Structure formats: C-alpha cells, structure tokens
Amino acid sequence: MMKKLVITGTIVTLVLAGFVSLFASASPDGLESVLLTGCETTEGEITGGTCVLQAAGDHEIGGAFADYGMSFLDNEVLGASLAGILGVLLTLGVATGLFWLLARGRKPAEAPAEEHA
C-alpha cells in the first residue's frame, strides 16, 4: 500500500512539474513585484525609473536551471517542462538518499546472546 502511494505521488508530482506548470502566470511574483517598485517596465524589461532590481546582474553561478528553464535548449516550453521534471527527480533523489542514510544509522543494536546453564 505504501509503495503504491509513493509511486502515485511521484507520478502526480512529475505531471504537475512537467505539464501543469507550463500554464503558470508569466507575471512577476511578489518578491519581483516589490523589487520593481519605482521602475517602469515594457514587456518585462526595465525602461525607466529607479528601483532595486536595476542593480541586479546575471546569475553569478548560472547553471542549467537558471530562470526556470534549461539554458542549453532553444525551445522554451520543452526547457521549462524538462527543468520541472528534472528538478523533481533531483529533489526526490537527494531526499531519498538522506532518509536512507539517516535510517541506516538508527538500526537497533543486536542484543547479546544469553548463555543457558
């Protein structure tokens, strides 16, 4: 029963990350909206005014998952979908590994065998 629940949960999560997330709003989230306060924007680009977000640069580390997509793919839809799916699998793998290590260290000690006289 537990194995079935985990498999079903994983499938649902992968579908949400890979397909349903494509319908998420492209509007800035709450943090980005606050950082844009005082700036004028056109099509997501800052065109005037002064705000905190003007001082932001590119990602220092960069990486394959920057800006919710895959930087090496030309197709934005495929990149966003693949980034969601790989993000879920990576998170699941790391969490499973950590739980496995924690559970492995908590095995009960074997009781010493008693001698019968």
Side-chain angles (χ1 to χ4, degrees):
M1 177 69 178
M2 185 64 158
K3 187 176 182 178
K4 197 179 222 182
L5 179 67
V6 170
I7 291 171
T8 303
T10 301
I11 291 170
V12 168
T13 305
L14 289 171
V15 168
L16 289 173
F19 179 70
V20 177
S21 64
L22 297 176
F23 298 101
S25 173
S27 300
D29 60 15
L31 176 61
E32 192 171 353
S33 293
V34 170
L35 294 175
L36 282 170
T37 302
C39 278
E40 299 167 15
T41 59
T42 304
E43 296 181 21
E45 297 294 322
I46 299 172
T47 57
T50 50
C51 62
V52 177
L53 203 54
Q54 286 176 320
D58 289 332
H59 297 283
E60 289 183 24
I61 299 174
F65 295 109
D67 291 329
Y68 307 105
M70 302 298 285
S71 59
F72 56 86
L73 292 176
D74 293 332
N75 187 334
E76 267 187 51
V77 173
L78 180 62
S81 185
L82 191 58
I85 291 169
L86 291 177
V88 166
L89 292 175
L90 182 66
T91 303
L92 183 63
V94 168
T96 301
L98 287 173
F99 287 136
W100 180 76
L101 284 173
L102 289 172
R104 188 175 148 197
R106 292 188 169 245
K107 288 186 179 178
E110 292 183 28
E114 293 182 25
E115 292 184 29
H116 296 287

